[in-house]
Amino acid sequence: MAEELTIAVREQTGVDAGRVHQLGLGRHVIGRDPAAAIQLRSTDVSRQHALLEVGIDAITLTDLGSKNGIHLKRKQGATRLPGPTRVGDGAVIDVGGIELLIVHPGAQVEGALSRFGEATVTRVIGDGSRGGRGAAVLVPLLLTAMFAALIGVLLWLG
């Protein structure tokens, strides 16, 4: 049985340091509001501070017009995010003075592939209906069969 993908945000600093927020795919609000998916207890955090859009291979982070913004922490220092920004596994973001660690195993794979220049197909384009999926499988299968036949003919002639 395949292990389910665990995506989470861990509070590194603040009054709730160590608290982990498990996330599913979709949209999640970070803020002071009790209805926020990731509720942070700090007066420097807006009621609806930021939006996390969780995908299979990355998270997109968007400031929702907060007063203090969102900062991406790096070795060189913190950078204020100007607009929607993709962040991956291990990214540390600062929201109103609270550091949050992104845990996204799917982004580890995506990051490794992009660092080493691996070209792979990671998604089937379309609505996932039988017709689209069949074509996605059938084309590589036919090309492989044609290549094998060509090699067979060359070996037989040769």
Side-chain angles (χ1 to χ4, degrees):
M1 179 180 278
E3 188 176 317
E4 191 168 323
L5 187 65
T6 302
I7 303 167
V9 171
R10 182 176 190 273
E11 293 182 44
Q12 300 287 84
T13 61
V15 295
D16 293 315
R19 183 169 61 162
V20 175
H21 305 270
Q22 299 288 332
L23 303 173
L25 299 177
R27 298 163 62 105
H28 307 277
V29 173
I30 299 174
R32 208 176 61 242
D33 191 326
I38 301 171
Q39 184 185 11
L40 301 178
R41 295 192 300 159
S42 170
T43 56
D44 291 331
V45 175
S46 299
R47 289 179 57 77
Q48 292 191 344
H49 198 104
L51 178 67
L52 284 177
E53 295 180 81
V54 179
I56 292 172
D57 59 356
I59 291 178
T60 301
L61 184 62
T62 306
D63 190 336
L64 293 176
S66 67
K67 178 177 71 174
N68 295 317
I70 307 165
H71 295 82
L72 180 61
K73 305 273 289 200
R74 296 192 174 142
K75 291 179 184 176
Q76 308 89 328
T79 304
R80 187 173 181 142
L81 300 181
T85 304
R86 266 177 82 121
V87 294
D89 185 67
V92 176
I93 58 173
D94 183 302
V95 178
I98 298 175
E99 290 183 5
L100 303 174
L101 172 68
I102 304 294
V103 179
H104 192 322
Q108 291 176 354
V109 173
E110 183 78 12
L113 293 175
S114 66
R115 272 194 305 278
F116 297 109
E118 181 69 26
T120 60
V121 176
T122 57
R123 293 175 201 85
V124 174
I125 297 173
D127 63 359
S129 65
R130 183 177 173 104
R133 178 185 281 162
V137 173
L138 187 57
V139 170
L141 184 60
L142 287 174
L143 289 173
T144 302
M146 289 172 40
F147 182 72
L150 177 63
I151 296 298
V153 169
L154 290 174
L155 288 173
W156 183 68
L157 292 175

